[in-house]
Amino acid sequence: MLVKIIYALAVALEFVFVPLFLKYSWPKKCWKSFRLKMVCSSLFLVTGICCMIWVHNYTDYAKFMIIGLAFGALGDLFLHLITDKQVVFGIGLLSFLIGHIFFIISFGKALKAKLPQARVFDYRAIIAIVVILVFLVLYAVKKKMKFGIATVPVALYAVTISTMLVTALQLCIRFFLEGFDNDIGVICTVGIGAIMFVMSDFTLALNLFGGQEKNRPLKIFNIATYFIGQVLLGTSILFIQPGI
C-alpha cells in the first residue's frame, strides 16, 4: 500500500515541479531551475522503482528500464549544468544515448520473452528506422539547422532514438496482434511514452540547432512531453512482467 501511495505522489508531484521548473528556467537556466529539474528527474525514477516493487517485477525488462531511466536523470543533470563547455553537453547527450540503448534492450527482452521466435530487428523494423532518419535529415535541411561540431554525436543519437521508437512500437503492435494480457496498458505506456520522448527530442533539436531558443511554447512542449514520456516508460513495468 505504501508503495502505491509513493507512486501516486511521485506522479502528482511531477505536475507541481515541472511547471515550477519551466518558470525558473526561462529565459535562461539558473541554479534554482537546476535543482527543480533534478527533483523532476528523481520523481520519474521513483515511479519506475515503485512499479517494480509494487508488482514484484524484478525481471530483466524492469531492471534495464530502471537503468535507462537513471541515465535519463544523469543526462538531465549534465544538460542543465550552468556551463558553456561543450564536453558537458556531450556527456549529457551520451547519457541519454546510453539510456535509449537500455530501453531498446528492455523492449527486445520483452518481445523475445513473449515470442521467442520473433526477431527484434527484422527487415520491417530496419526499413522503418531508415524512413524516420530520412525524414529527420530532410527536415533538418529544410529548417537549415546548424549542428557544427555536434553533427556526428547528434547523428548517432538520432539513429539510437529512432531505433528505440521503432522497437517500442514493434513491441506494442505484437502485444496487440497476439492478444497478450495488458496489451492496452503496454500501448499506453511503452508506445505513447516512446512517442512522447521522441517528440521532446525533436523539439529540443529545434531549440538548440534551429534558432528556436526563444520560443517559449516550444520549450514548454519539449519539457512536458519529456517528463510525461519518462513517467509512462517507468509505469510500463506494471504491465510487462510475466515470464520476462
Side-chain angles (χ1 to χ4, degrees):
M1 185 65 175
L2 179 60
V3 173
K4 296 179 183 179
I5 294 173
I6 294 174
Y7 168 81
L9 281 174
V11 174
L13 287 173
E14 288 283 27
F15 289 92
V16 175
F17 284 100
V18 170
L20 285 174
F21 163 69
L22 284 167
K23 176 182 178 180
Y24 288 101
S25 64
W26 188 266
K28 60 181 181 179
K29 56 189 178 182
C30 60
W31 286 114
K32 188 166 186 175
S33 66
F34 172 78
R35 291 191 292 270
L36 286 167
K37 189 171 189 181
M38 294 318 300
V39 169
C40 297
S41 301
S42 299
L43 287 172
F44 68 63
L45 186 56
V46 168
T47 62
I49 294 172
C50 283
C51 288
M52 174 188 279
I53 299 172
W54 181 350
V55 293
H56 306 289
N57 184 358
Y58 303 106
T59 59
D60 286 344
Y61 177 84
K63 292 173 184 176
F64 284 125
M65 180 58 63
I66 294 296
I67 295 173
L69 293 172
F71 271 101
L74 188 63
D76 286 333
L77 185 151
F78 283 106
L79 287 186
H80 206 75
L81 281 177
I82 303 174
T83 176
D84 295 325
K85 293 183 178 180
Q86 290 293 326
V87 67
V88 174
F89 173 81
I91 295 173
L93 190 66
L94 178 62
S95 298
F96 277 113
L97 188 149
I98 295 173
H100 286 308
I101 291 174
F102 278 104
F103 290 152
I104 293 168
I105 295 173
S106 293
F107 302 145
K109 289 281 186 180
L111 182 62
K112 295 295 287 187
K114 283 293 189 178
L115 296 167
Q117 76 283 5
R119 295 180 61 184
V120 179
F121 296 106
D122 59 13
Y123 73 93
R124 290 166 296 187
I126 294 173
I127 291 173
I129 293 169
V130 171
V131 169
I132 293 173
L133 290 173
V134 169
F135 168 78
L136 292 176
V137 170
L138 292 176
Y139 191 84
V141 171
K142 181 179 179 180
K143 290 295 183 179
K144 299 179 180 179
M145 293 186 183
K146 299 177 181 179
F147 299 101
I149 61 174
T151 300
V152 173
V154 169
L156 290 174
Y157 186 82
V159 172
T160 306
I161 194 171
S162 298
T163 303
M164 185 277 290
L165 175 62
V166 170
T167 310
L169 294 180
Q170 181 185 24
L171 177 64
C172 293
I173 291 170
R174 295 305 292 267
F175 260 68
F176 179 74
L177 293 178
E178 298 292 337
F180 290 140
D181 293 339
N182 299 327
D183 55 345
I184 300 302
V186 172
I187 292 171
C188 291
T189 54
V190 172
I192 297 177
I195 291 172
M196 287 286 184
F197 210 139
V198 172
M199 292 173 66
S200 174
D201 280 344
F202 187 72
T203 53
L204 179 62
L206 287 174
N207 182 277
L208 294 176
F209 308 110
Q212 297 292 320
E213 61 275 2
K214 294 183 179 181
N215 188 328
R216 183 159 173 75
L218 190 69
K219 173 71 172 180
I220 294 173
F221 182 82
N222 161 241
I223 296 301
T225 51
Y226 169 71
F227 284 108
I228 291 173
Q230 291 281 43
V231 168
L232 288 175
L233 290 175
T235 303
S236 71
I237 295 173
L238 291 177
F239 304 102
I240 301 181
Q241 41 176 317
I244 299 174

